[in-house]
Amino acid sequence: MLSILFACVDPTTIDPPAPPPLDGVLTFADLQAKGTHNSYHVATSEAEVWDYTHAVLPTQADEQGVRQFELDVEWDEELGAHRVRHIPVVDEGTTCETFVLCARDLWAWSFTHPMHHPLFVLVETKDGWDPETGPEHTAALERELLSIWDREDLITPDDLRRDHPDLRTAIEQDDWPTLGELRGRALFVLHSGGERRDDYVKDLDGHVLFPDAMGDVGVPWAAVHTMNDPADPRIAEVVGLRHLVRTRADSDTREARQEDTTHRDQALASGAHFVSTDYPAPVEGTSYVVEIPGGTPSRCNPLTAPPECTSRDIEDLQ
């Protein structure tokens, strides 16, 4: 399907744009970007806390400047694949019904915008852990991703670890690859803890998902972290170690209803690399919205980027 969709595109006839001048200096850890929470979500419930609707994923990337996404997945035995939704029956609205379809939407946008800085995608498994079937379901999730994204277009744990014994050591000694090495690619995160993550990190060789260390920089596989409280002082510490952090600017529609920007401003100042929101664009009924100040659409990280960095060094698709 993808080959048919893009059969008319001949990349040999298109002159690639010149890379930004700092592409060999800046790394993945030097940016700050906008993200969305439950990026697939369509409001179908009367519950106030779920009263938000996102545009389709390519529109978020193209028109709203979103570079971090979050997908909730659940194994569907009848389908034989992972379905994407928030909560069965009571809050099922989604712009892409399966993980494969969501991954395809992101790939399609990335294919037509090869100079974008890396995308960051959280994949949260919503079904419970069963030691009999869990490992196979996680393996199926990887197969579904690789049915759409070529491995070389992903940023994998092996890409970061290189010749080092683990991810944490790789960051300490060699940092992340540069933006020039990572443009047009995406990093997917197994946004789950507990037994599923414990099973996954037994051996990361060949895996395509990064485990979510959730603020614990002491484990050897620590590299990416969800730290949802933007006021958490540990965010600056984790960012200072060059680990990637995602935090939230708002939750449960509370900030939008109260038009309260406190958490948004804390998130932007925290140094977190990805600031997640349910309001990436203006909506009727509130003035609340999240934008990256001076971003094009992302910007230089306020804690880690060198002083010569400009937002157009991070990304400038124009």
Side-chain angles (χ1 to χ4, degrees), residues 203-244:
D203 183 2
L204 286 176
D205 287 349
H207 279 313
V208 296
L209 305 174
F210 276 77
D212 192 334
M214 300 181 180
D216 185 356
V217 295
V219 293
W221 39 265
V224 302
H225 306 262
T226 298
M227 304 176 70
N228 284 331
D229 179 3
D232 187 344
R234 296 182 305 130
I235 292 178
E237 299 174 15
V238 177
V239 169
L241 294 173
R242 308 289 288 181
H243 292 218
L244 301 183

Side-chain angles (χ1 to χ4, degrees), residues 34-36 53-55 60 63-66 250 277-283 288-291:
K34 184 196 302 187
T36 48
T53 293
H54 287 303
Q60 290 183 48
E63 300 179 11
Q64 300 174 0
V66 175
D250 46 75
T277 180
D278 292 327
Y279 298 88
V283 297
Y288 181 85
V289 66
V290 173
E291 296 285 0

Side-chain angles (χ1 to χ4, degrees), residues 94-150:
T94 179
T95 61
C96 46
E97 293 189 355
T98 67
F99 180 56
V100 166
L101 291 176
C102 293
R104 184 194 66 180
D105 285 348
L106 291 173
W107 179 89
W109 182 84
S110 176
F111 180 86
T112 56
H113 299 80
M115 292 301 289
H116 70 77
H117 75 65
L119 304 181
F120 188 86
V121 187
L122 300 173
V123 185
E124 181 175 359
T125 55
K126 304 287 281 190
D127 38 1
W129 173 257
D130 182 337
E132 296 296 323
T133 60
E136 171 53 30
H137 291 170
T138 306
L141 188 67
E142 292 195 319
R143 289 195 298 271
E144 291 169 34
L145 177 58
L146 290 170
S147 74
I148 301 298
W149 286 76
D150 290 337

Side-chain angles (χ1 to χ4, degrees), residues 76-289:
D76 187 308
E77 192 65 41
E78 182 177 346
L79 186 65
H82 284 87
R83 188 177 296 279
V84 171
R85 59 187 175 185
H86 187 212
I87 300 176
V89 181
V90 297
D91 191 36
E92 291 193 320
T94 179
T95 61
C96 46
E97 293 189 355
T98 67
F99 180 56
V100 166
L101 291 176
C102 293
R104 184 194 66 180
D105 285 348
L106 291 173
W107 179 89
W109 182 84
S110 176
F111 180 86
T112 56
H113 299 80
M115 292 301 289
H116 70 77
H117 75 65
L119 304 181
F120 188 86
V121 187
L122 300 173
V123 185
E124 181 175 359
T125 55
K126 304 287 281 190
D127 38 1
W129 173 257
D130 182 337
E132 296 296 323
T133 60
E136 171 53 30
H137 291 170
T138 306
L141 188 67
E142 292 195 319
R143 289 195 298 271
E144 291 169 34
L145 177 58
L146 290 170
S147 74
I148 301 298
W149 286 76
D150 290 337
R151 184 178 289 269
E152 57 265 30
D153 293 327
L154 298 172
I155 305 165
T156 71
D158 287 341
D159 294 328
L160 174 60
R161 185 173 52 219
R162 291 158 287 193
D163 295 328
H164 298 286
D166 53 60
L167 301 182
R168 183 183 60 190
T169 303
I171 295 174
E172 290 173 354
Q173 297 186 3
D174 277 338
D175 205 342
W176 287 86
T178 65
L179 288 183
E181 297 173 271
L182 300 182
R183 289 198 182 277
R185 298 166 70 180
L187 185 153
F188 283 75
V189 180
L190 182 64
H191 179 43
S192 303
E195 293 175 290
R196 185 181 302 276
R197 186 185 62 186
D198 292 344
D199 178 77
Y200 194 75
V201 300
K202 288 177 182 177
D203 183 2
L204 286 176
D205 287 349
H207 279 313
V208 296
L209 305 174
F210 276 77
D212 192 334
M214 300 181 180
D216 185 356
V217 295
V219 293
W221 39 265
V224 302
H225 306 262
T226 298
M227 304 176 70
N228 284 331
D229 179 3
D232 187 344
R234 296 182 305 130
I235 292 178
E237 299 174 15
V238 177
V239 169
L241 294 173
R242 308 289 288 181
H243 292 218
L244 301 183
V245 175
R246 176 264 205 174
T247 195
R248 291 184 65 177
D250 46 75
S251 59
D252 298 335
T253 72
R254 180 174 52 251
E255 285 78 7
R257 286 184 277 110
Q258 298 174 359
E259 300 193 327
D260 182 358
T261 64
T262 302
H263 288 162
R264 181 195 71 184
D265 297 342
Q266 289 173 330
L268 291 167
S270 72
H273 302 88
F274 302 99
V275 177
S276 179
T277 180
D278 292 327
Y279 298 88
V283 297
E284 185 177 352
T286 180
S287 64
Y288 181 85
V289 66

